[in-house]
């Protein structure tokens, strides 16, 4: 059970926690919707990245949505997965050489979406971890 009782606002347990402050909930949901859909990166790849992040970011609710599939083998996907793995180890100290590798094969739009998705997803997962959100909630 989460450490805070759920509000009546929101569709998921995560949203019902954020629902205690609708000023945060609504734009948060809007950004979550944008980032989870196809954009510069496919929604399938982003779901794989979310799964990888969940294994390290401590949110049991997020982990329960599935483990990484390891099915992405194309160059762009491998670069994105590699970035996430470096980020998880280095946090804000991602080496410039890592960004250079991305720049060699990806557009600026793709790189920005990758970094934004990684950080936003990490924030969501840390939120769930701090409030002890679980799959049973």
């Amino acid at each position: 059970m989460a450490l805070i009782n759920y509000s009546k606002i929101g569709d998921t347990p995560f949203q019902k926690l954020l629902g205690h402050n609708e000023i945060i909930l609504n734009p948060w949901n809007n950004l979550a919707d944008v980032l989870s859909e196809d954009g510069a990166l496919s929604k399938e790849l982003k779901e794989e990245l979310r799964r990888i992040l969940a294994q390290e970011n401590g949110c049991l609710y997020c982990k329960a949505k599935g483990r990484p599939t390891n099915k992405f083998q194309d160059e762009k996907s491998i670069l994105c997965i590699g970035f996430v793995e470096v980020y998880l180890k280095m946090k804000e100290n991602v080496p410039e050489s890592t960004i250079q590798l991305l720049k060699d094969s990806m557009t600026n739009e793709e790189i920005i979406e990758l970094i934004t998705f990684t950080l936003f997803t990490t924030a969501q997962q840390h939120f769930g971890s701090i409030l002890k959100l679980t799959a049973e909630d």
Side-chain angles (χ1 to χ4, degrees), residues 29-117:
N29 281 346
N30 289 340
L31 184 53
D33 289 345
V34 167
L35 288 174
S36 66
E37 292 300 320
D38 285 327
L41 304 174
S42 73
K43 65 182 179 181
E44 293 82 12
L45 174 58
K46 290 188 276 190
E47 173 57 18
E48 182 77 352
L49 300 175
R50 185 205 63 75
R51 290 168 181 242
I52 293 166
L53 289 162
Q55 300 311 305
E56 298 296 323
N57 284 334
C59 179
L60 297 176
Y61 178 77
C62 300
K63 280 183 169 183
K65 293 181 178 182
R67 296 190 55 75
T69 65
N70 300 314
K71 70 178 185 177
F72 293 88
Q73 301 298 316
D74 62 284
E75 181 182 7
K76 185 190 308 182
S77 297
I78 290 168
L79 284 168
C80 291
I81 291 165
F83 171 81
V84 165
E85 290 172 350
V86 169
Y87 169 75
L88 286 168
K89 287 182 179 38
M90 307 295 290
K91 301 300 181 198
E92 68 277 356
N93 296 315
V94 171
E96 287 183 31
S97 59
T98 301
I99 302 303
Q100 188 58 52
L101 283 173
L102 297 177
K103 288 173 64 176
D104 290 345
S105 298
M106 295 171 64
T107 66
N108 289 339
E109 181 183 11
E110 291 168 330
I111 294 167
I112 294 302
E113 187 168 321
L114 171 62
I115 295 169
T116 304
F117 179 81

Side-chain angles (χ1 to χ4, degrees), residues 18 21-34 120:
L18 278 179
N21 190 326
E22 285 186 80
I23 292 171
I24 295 172
L25 173 67
N26 294 325
W28 191 286
N29 281 346
N30 289 340
L31 184 53
D33 289 345
V34 167
F120 185 76

